[in-house]
């Protein structure tokens, strides 16, 4: 895949006829599409669920989500455009654009989908279209004109240069096409860092106008190449499993007095300590109470009366609800910790999603415990302590403990579904949705609602990320 990118850097995107006659085929370059265009594809009205992954900035805070439709190889442009149309319809049905007040959206589309009329109505400067090539649809002057029209309407574009060989991107249009891109994508899934390293000092020079998006960052070495190579200031967006889990775990051993204090307050709350005892603990770290009240009084919670003290919280919310909001303080105890805030966002999404999965006939306490399960599901990563140790002293309900410790019990399917939604595992989502008697479309809507709710809580609580720089 990267061969095309490297050839482009040295001005060799188009081989001569003699070179082509003796060159061995590039194993990573897809062969020309031979599948005939079979006409319109019979598709359902929506996709039900669209895979989306968090995208982080240089401080490792979540600033965007990447939306993609997993496709098989060998699609024609006509077939791909049908799927793209369905993707856009599904995103509208999910009311994706509510999210864009708090995050950016990177949406994968093919070149042919640029003709869709609805693209002109996208929210200005908040949507980045990632242009995926299709074998029988090369870049043309008409494509460039459509890109210009959409850019005039505030849409931005990203492209992975390595995917565009001379067959898909004629040399005469090479510079004109890439000049129109706001982001260049570098995918670490295919190459080894040893091969990639020598070229990183050339990439920003070749496309000096654009910022770079590092996808599938899978190791510390991958991240170091982006942050330390010449021209590293051009790397603005990052995505990958290492950023979501491993790197946070590298930094999790730091002792933190505020986290210890929060855990102590939570233990006292579970032990039915009175308001005076709890307030005494908060007085040892007054910032904690300020943060707690800010979370609780967030407008999205719809409280009729503002909570002003621990005693108010116990009277108006009850112990179970106060306990769940206390869990948020564990993620905000470290100042300017982008990793912890990313974990907080993911935990809030899981918590709200699981709470909403509660059946209408369930007692409110069941919903509280579902919320708590999602909220606590990443504490082992945050604190660097195995689940049995971190939650053992808190006297949690057995349903919560079983789901967290052993992935079993009545709350295990809801937690598994939340995690499947994060990863976009469509088969698993469908299986678990059936188990919980939920249509896949409803699961997608509930999950997007949870994502938006989490952003609203964080924004109202002034615990949010700077997306204006994206």
């Amino acid at each position: 895949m990267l061969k095309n990118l490297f050839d482009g850097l040295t001005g060799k995107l188009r081989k001569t006829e003699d070179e082509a006659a003796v060159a061995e085929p590039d194993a990573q370059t897809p062969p020309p599409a031979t599948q005939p265009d079979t006409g319109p594809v019979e598709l359902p009205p929506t996709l039900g669920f669209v895979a989306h992954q968090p995208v982080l900035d240089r401080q490792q805070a979540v600033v965007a989500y990447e939306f993609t439709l997993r496709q098989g190889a060998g699609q024609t442009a006509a077939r791909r455009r049908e799927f793209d149309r369905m993707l856009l319809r599904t995103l509208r049905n999910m009311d994706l654009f509510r999210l864009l007040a708090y995050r950016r959206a990177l949406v994968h589309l093919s070149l042919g989908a640029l003709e869709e009329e609805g693209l002109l109505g996208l929210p200005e400067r908040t949507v980045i279209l990632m242009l995926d090539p299709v074998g029988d649809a090369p870049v043309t002057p008409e494509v460039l004109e459509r890109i210009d029209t959409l850019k005039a309407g505030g849409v931005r574009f990203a492209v992975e240069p390595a995917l565009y060989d001379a067959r898909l991107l004629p040399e005469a249009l090479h510079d004109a096409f890439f000049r129109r891109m706001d982001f260049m994508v570098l995918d670490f899934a295919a190459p080894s860092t040893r091969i990639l390293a020598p070229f990183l000092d050339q990439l920003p020079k070749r496309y000096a106008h654009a910022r770079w998006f590092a996808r599938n960052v899978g190791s510390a070495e991958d991240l170091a190449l982006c942050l330390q190579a010449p021209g590293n200031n051009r790397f603005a967006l990052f995505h990958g499993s290492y950023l979501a889990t491993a790197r946070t775990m590298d930094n999790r051993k730091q002792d933190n007095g505020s986290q210890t204090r929060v855990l102590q307050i939570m233990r006292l709350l579970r032990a039915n300590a009175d308001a005076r005892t709890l307030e005494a603990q908060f007085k040892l770290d007054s910032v904690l109470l300020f943060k707690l009240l800010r979370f609780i009084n967030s407008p999205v919670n719809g409280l009729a009366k503002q909570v002003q003290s621990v005693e108010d919280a116990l009277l108006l919310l009850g112990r179970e609800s106060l306990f769940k909001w206390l869990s948020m303080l564990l993620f905000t105890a470290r100042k300017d910790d982008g990793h912890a805030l990313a974990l907080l966002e993911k935990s809030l999404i899981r918590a709200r999603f699981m709470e909403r999965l509660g059946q209408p006939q369930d007692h409110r306490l069941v919903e509280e415990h579902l919320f708590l399960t999602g909220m606590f599901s990443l504490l082992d990563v945050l604190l660097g302590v195995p689940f049995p140790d971190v939650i053992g002293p808190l006297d949690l309900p057995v349903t919560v403990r079983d789901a967290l410790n052993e992935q079993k019990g009545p709350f295990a399917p809801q937690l598994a579904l939340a995690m499947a939604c994060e990863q976009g595992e469509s088969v698993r989502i469908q299986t678990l949705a059936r188990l919980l008697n939920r249509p896949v479309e409803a699961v997608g809507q509930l999950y997007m609602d949870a994502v938006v709710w989490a952003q609203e809580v964080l924004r109202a609580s002034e615990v949010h990320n700077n997306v204006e720089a994206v």
Side-chain angles (χ1 to χ4, degrees):
M1 182 188 295
L2 284 180
K3 183 178 186 299
N4 299 325
L5 175 58
F6 298 156
D7 285 348
L9 291 174
T10 56
K12 298 178 181 177
L13 264 174
R14 174 175 290 177
K15 294 183 178 181
T16 65
E17 294 181 2
D18 292 339
E19 288 173 326
V22 299
E24 294 183 2
D26 184 349
Q28 294 187 358
T29 301
T34 57
Q35 182 179 356
D37 187 349
T38 57
V41 184
E42 291 296 329
L43 295 173
T46 69
L47 295 167
F49 190 89
V50 179
H52 47 288
Q53 296 290 320
V55 176
L56 289 70
D57 63 11
R58 292 178 67 90
Q59 287 70 47
Q60 307 309 295
V62 179
V63 291
Y65 283 94
E66 180 182 0
F67 293 82
T68 182
L69 179 60
R70 294 178 179 175
Q71 298 283 312
Q75 279 194 324
T76 64
R79 181 177 293 268
R80 173 60 191 268
R81 183 168 177 179
E82 289 293 328
F83 276 96
D84 287 341
R85 185 176 294 123
M86 189 165 58
L87 169 64
L88 291 170
R89 186 185 306 125
T90 304
L91 293 178
R92 291 191 184 96
N93 289 351
M94 293 168 62
D95 204 2
L96 160 73
F97 304 118
R98 290 177 298 156
L99 178 64
L100 301 185
Y102 313 100
R103 296 289 182 267
R104 302 299 180 239
L106 295 97
V107 181
H108 283 258
L109 292 178
S110 64
L111 295 174
L114 295 179
E115 295 299 325
E116 294 296 318
E117 293 184 3
L119 294 180
L120 287 172
L122 293 176
E124 187 172 351
R125 291 199 58 77
T126 56
V127 176
I128 302 167
L129 298 183
M130 298 185 64
L131 300 181
D132 297 336
V134 180
D136 62 344
V139 176
T140 64
E142 290 74 23
V143 168
L144 299 184
E145 290 178 7
R146 183 60 175 172
I147 290 174
D148 288 340
T149 299
L150 292 170
K151 286 181 72 70
V155 178
R156 293 181 291 166
F157 291 89
V159 73
E160 184 176 344
L163 297 179
Y164 287 84
D165 59 12
R167 176 176 53 85
L168 294 168
L169 179 59
E171 187 173 2
L173 301 180
H174 181 274
D175 287 340
F177 180 62
F178 288 132
R179 273 203 314 270
R180 287 165 165 81
M181 298 299 113
D182 300 277
F183 289 89
M184 299 292 187
V185 181
L186 189 64
D187 196 328
F188 282 84
S192 72
T193 54
R194 178 181 59 81
I195 296 174
L196 184 60
F199 293 91
L200 275 177
D201 64 336
Q202 300 180 45
L203 300 184
K205 296 176 185 176
R206 178 71 177 182
Y207 309 115
H209 67 286
R211 290 182 290 172
W212 283 81
F213 172 23
R215 293 186 75 242
N216 294 309
V217 174
S219 68
E221 291 76 14
D222 290 350
L223 186 61
L225 281 174
C226 298
L227 296 180
Q228 299 173 15
N232 67 80
N233 61 308
R234 304 303 300 171
F235 281 88
L237 299 176
F238 303 84
H239 155 277
S241 58
Y242 174 71
L243 303 172
T245 55
R247 189 161 185 250
T248 302
M249 294 172 69
D250 288 342
N251 295 332
R252 67 188 183 177
K253 297 296 184 181
Q254 304 172 17
D255 179 47
N256 188 282
S258 293
Q259 287 175 328
T260 302
R261 182 75 54 204
V262 173
L263 287 170
Q264 173 64 10
I265 295 171
M266 296 175 81
R267 282 192 285 266
L268 290 170
L269 191 61
R270 299 299 294 182
N272 291 317
D274 59 24
R276 182 176 298 179
T277 302
L278 296 173
E279 286 176 345
Q281 290 293 320
F282 277 108
K283 287 178 181 178
L284 298 174
D285 191 340
S286 58
V287 175
L288 289 179
L289 181 58
F290 171 75
K291 290 181 177 179
L292 176 65
L293 295 179
R294 196 166 56 180
F295 282 134
I296 292 173
N297 291 320
S298 171
V300 298
N301 292 324
L303 295 180
K305 179 181 178 182
Q306 292 280 294
V307 174
Q308 303 293 337
S309 65
V310 174
E311 185 174 6
D312 281 352
L314 287 172
L315 290 173
L316 295 173
L317 302 177
R319 288 182 178 270
E320 292 292 338
S321 187
L322 177 57
F323 188 83
K324 82 177 186 183
W325 290 113
L326 272 169
S327 64
M328 294 180 64
L329 296 184
L330 293 170
F331 295 87
T332 60
R334 296 177 185 171
K335 186 178 181 181
D336 300 326
D337 189 335
H339 305 300
L341 290 181
L343 287 175
L344 171 59
E345 180 172 328
K346 184 181 289 189
S347 298
L348 280 171
I349 294 169
R350 288 186 184 183
R352 180 66 167 180
F353 177 64
M354 292 180 65
E355 179 185 45
R356 295 291 304 280
L357 282 174
Q359 299 299 319
Q361 68 271 17
D362 287 339
H363 191 277
R364 178 58 189 166
L365 191 60
V366 173
E367 295 181 350
E368 295 279 8
H369 290 170
L370 281 166
F371 186 99
L372 201 58
T373 304
M375 200 68 216
F376 271 37
S377 60
L378 290 165
L379 276 189
D380 60 331
V381 178
L382 176 73
L383 302 178
V385 179
F387 266 129
D389 296 335
V390 71
I391 67 176
L394 297 178
D395 191 28
L396 295 175
V398 64
T399 49
V400 178
R401 286 203 312 271
D402 285 349
L404 295 175
N405 285 336
E406 303 179 45
Q407 295 78 54
K408 69 177 187 180
F411 294 170
Q414 291 91 336
L415 179 57
L417 181 54
M419 296 169 70
C421 289
E422 290 171 5
Q423 299 302 318
E425 298 172 343
S426 57
V427 174
R428 187 160 173 76
I429 290 170
Q430 292 175 22
T431 300
L432 290 166
R434 284 196 298 269
L435 180 64
L436 294 169
N437 296 314
R438 292 280 190 170
V440 174
E441 290 80 5
V443 168
Q445 187 64 62
L446 286 177
Y447 193 81
M448 185 54 60
D449 289 344
V451 172
V452 174
W453 178 86
Q455 313 314 324
E456 290 174 343
V457 169
L458 294 174
R459 175 62 63 93
S461 306
E462 299 183 13
V463 182
H464 55 271
N465 303 325
N466 178 24
V467 299
E468 301 305 321
V470 180

